[in-house]
Structures are given as structure tokens and as C-alpha cells.
Amino acid sequence: MSSTQSGTVLVTGASGFIAGHCIEELLRHGYAVRGTVRDVAHTEKVAHLTALATEYGGRLNFVAARLDSDEGWAEAVADCAFVLHVASPNPPAVPLDEDEIIRPAVDGTLRVLRAAAESGTVSRVVLTSSSLAVNAGRPAPTADSYTEDDWSLIENCDPYAKSKTLAERAAWKFIHDQPEGRRLDLAVVIPTLVLGPLQRPEVTTSNEVVQRLLDRSMPAVPNLGFSLVDVRDIALAHRLAMESPKAAGNRYVCGGPYTWMWDMARVLAAEFGPEGFRVPTRRLPYWAMWLAARFDPALRLALGYVGRPERFSSQKAIDELGWSTRPIEEILRDTGQSLIDHGFVHPRRAGRADL
Ligand code: NAP
């Protein structure tokens, strides 16, 4: 652990997967942390973080604030030096009314920025955006590797990609519209698909892809892939974007190499096959995926990306922040092990036929 850092950091959505790891990263580096939760009466979702604070001898407390209400934000940012605005609706399925996720994402981001700007103490907000604010809504990949110069095409985006793109756009507009002599900086971290160990027993939307391979609820492997990144490296990116003077006014794509799902399956099979996990290796033809997508919202969202590698360059984060990401094999191994340790997937014993 490093020495105690000055200044408290507010992390929004403390109960979330990425926010939890950001809080751990900050505590480990000596920061005092305040986390927002929707309701302080329900502390069971953050109990693991209180335990971590004790372990690291750090200071951590929680305040209530919701993205869809002004209440609580002034108190949340009071005396903070930095804000990591991580919270955003990330539902497993598309809601019927897209505003259910777009409004909290956009209005919530503006609430956080307004409170930070008015606090007089916060010097920088680090916003968690998404690669879906970069590459979504395109009929075909338009770049060898997407970079920070690229933006999603709103008119073709699904509601989640739209929520992330509009929220980030709104954040930059807020920063640029600040009066002369402004104090508040913005830096944006743009994760690709985030996998990694769970701090508490809840499978996140992004880790479901590993869960579905390990438990064979996906009995064959679709012709899909992702740029994978580890949640611990995304937490590091947030800290670096917060600390680095260069990061002000910058977006940083943070993702690993593009990995086809059958390569993910191959790594998982090699790692967990000997423990009795029958990871599928057969390929799912497009027609079968199209059919399955009629009943499976996650597959429905993925249909537009079939057979189409979407690569991202993290060179700017590497060069300017000194960021790095761990190997895919390690990410998949640790994610799989965490799902096993939390009891979300179980080995299939001999006698069950492979599909
Ligand atoms: P997560 O585990 O679902 O966390 C989302 C957090 O946001 C939760 O703490 C949730 O609180 C909070 N939240 C949602 N709606 C809220 C509202 N109306 N008011 C207050 N809090 C609200 O998701 P995650 O994977 O950690 O994602 C965190 C951030 O990373 C999001 O901005 C997401 O868009 C971005 N991101 C994620 C990935 C990925 O692969 N996971 C990739 C790129 C970007 P409750 O616990 O109370 O629901």
C-alpha cells in the first residue's frame, strides 16, 4: 500500500462491478473514498467494500444519491477532490421505453458534473463511458481499429449505446460551456467488454458471456468476438486518468485485443475442462443464432456484430497514462475461477453427453 493520499474521491454507483474495483484500487493507494448508493439502508451490496477498507486501513463511507434525482449530490461531492462517475444503468435486456436508461445516464451525468463544478473543491471528474460510445450504430466497421476520434452513430444505436454516447457527449458539452476561468476538468475512460473477478456474489452483464460458456447455456459458440479487458485494469485506468495532469480534456479507449468467442472457449476449455467443465467448442451457424435470438435478448443485441471483428486501439492510454492490460488467458482464467468460487457455475460430471 502507498502512503495516504490527500483528498477524498467520490465514486458513484459503489455497488457496481467496476465501481467496486475502482474503490479497491483507490483504497489500496491510500485515498479516502466516499461511495454513492441508491439507498443507504441497503448496505448489503457494499458490505464487501467496508471489509476491504478495514483490510487496507482506509477511510470509506457511503451516501445516498440517485441519478434520477437532484437530492444528495451536493452532500455527496462536498470536500471531495475528485469524482469517478461510474454509475449508469446497465440492464441485461433492452427496456421497452429507452428513456428508462437514457434519462438517468444523461441527466445523472449532468447532475454529477453540476454538483462537482459547484463544490469548489472537485478539480476533476473521470467519467466511465463505453466502447459503445465509439463504434455503435455502424453498418460495418469503419476503421482498422477504433480510437478516441471515433463516435457512435446515434441514429442507429440501441438504447444502451445511445445512453452512453449521449451521456458522454453531454459531459463534454458541459465542460466546454463552463465560463472562462473554470475549475473543473473532465477525463473519460472508455472500457470495452469488462470481465474479471467478482467482489460479491452477483454476475454482471458482461461476465455472463463467460458464465454461459462454462455452464453450457450456450451449447455452441456464435461467430462473435469482443475486445476484452480486465476490471482490475479498468480500475487502474480510472486512477491514472484521475491523477495524470495530461488526462484533462481527454478520452481514453481501454481494451485488449479482439478475441473470437471460440478462442475464449478454447482457453476456458483448457483451463477448466480438467475440472469437469464441458465448454462448448462447436460453432453456432448464423441461421441458428438468428433463430435463438428471437428468444434471447442478449443474442438479439449481438446479431449486428456477427462475423465482424471490432478492434480498438488503446495506444493513447498506454502512451499517455502508462496504462497496460493483462493477457486474455489470465482474464478468462480469473473470471472463470471467480464464477466457480461464487457458485455460479458447476462442473458437469461424466455421463452427460456433450452437444
Ligand atoms: P453495474 O455492475 O450494473 O453497475 C452499475 C451501477 O450503477 C450500480 O451501482 C447501480 O446501482 C448504479 N445505477 C444504475 N442506475 C442508477 C440510478 N438510476 N441511480 C443511481 N445509481 C444507479 O455495471 P458495471 O458493469 O460496473 O458498469 C459500470 C459503468 O461502466 C457503467 O457506466 C457502464 O456503462 C460502464 N461500462 C461497463 C462495461 C462492462 O463491460 N461491464 C463496458 C463499458 C462500460 P444499483 O446497484 O443500485 O443498481
Side-chain angles (χ1 to χ4, degrees), residues 68-280:
D68 40 25
S69 161
D70 287 334
E71 222 171 291
W73 287 108
E75 295 78 4
V77 297
D79 300 325
C80 285
F82 302 103
V83 176
L84 306 189
H85 177 40
V86 189
S88 202
N90 194 6
V94 181
L96 285 178
D97 177 3
E98 64 176 20
D99 275 342
E100 273 179 39
I101 57 176
I102 293 174
R103 291 269 57 94
V106 176
D107 298 348
T109 297
L110 291 173
R111 284 191 171 96
V112 170
L113 286 165
R114 225 176 280 125
E118 286 166 10
S119 70
T121 55
V122 176
S123 59
R124 181 175 298 173
V125 172
V126 177
L127 171 71
T128 318
S129 185
S130 165
S131 54
L132 290 173
V134 169
N135 75 324
R138 294 164 192 274
T142 50
D144 287 343
S145 288
Y146 291 104
T147 69
E148 294 77 5
D149 295 336
D150 296 303
W151 282 92
S152 295
L153 302 180
I154 282 290
E155 57 278 19
N156 304 327
C157 281
D158 66 59
Y160 176 69
K162 214 186 232 185
S163 78
K164 295 306 292 179
T165 311
L166 291 174
E168 193 192 331
R169 287 249 189 231
W172 285 119
K173 181 170 182 329
F174 178 93
I175 292 296
H176 293 136
D177 288 353
Q178 283 183 107
E180 206 61 32
R182 68 191 173 85
R183 278 183 48 96
L184 192 66
D185 284 341
L186 178 68
V188 173
V189 173
I190 303 178
T192 55
L193 189 75
V194 185
L195 305 180
L198 307 172
Q199 290 173 320
R200 66 184 175 92
E202 186 171 311
V203 183
T204 58
T205 311
S206 46
N207 271 331
E208 269 177 25
V209 64
V210 176
Q211 181 186 22
R212 293 178 74 164
L213 286 171
L214 282 176
D215 70 7
R216 281 186 82 87
S217 56
M218 194 187 287
V221 186
N223 185 17
L224 282 172
F226 309 94
S227 162
L228 304 179
V229 68
D230 192 282
V231 67
R232 294 160 292 185
D233 299 328
I234 287 301
L236 168 69
H238 280 78
R239 182 175 62 77
L240 296 174
M242 180 185 97
E243 290 173 344
S244 165
K246 274 190 190 162
N250 280 294
R251 339 168 64 197
Y252 293 100
V253 171
C254 296
Y258 187 83
T259 309
W260 291 104
M261 278 185 75
W262 46 75
D263 288 325
M264 294 170 65
R266 197 176 36 76
V267 172
L268 291 169
E271 188 67 35
F272 299 109
E275 291 178 32
F277 288 88
R278 299 284 172 259
V279 180

Side-chain angles (χ1 to χ4, degrees), residues 29-48:
H29 285 81
Y31 287 96
V33 181
R34 186 178 300 151
T36 68
V37 288
R38 294 200 217 202
D39 185 348
V40 276
H42 295 286
T43 49
E44 68 282 354
K45 282 168 110 181
V46 289
H48 59 290

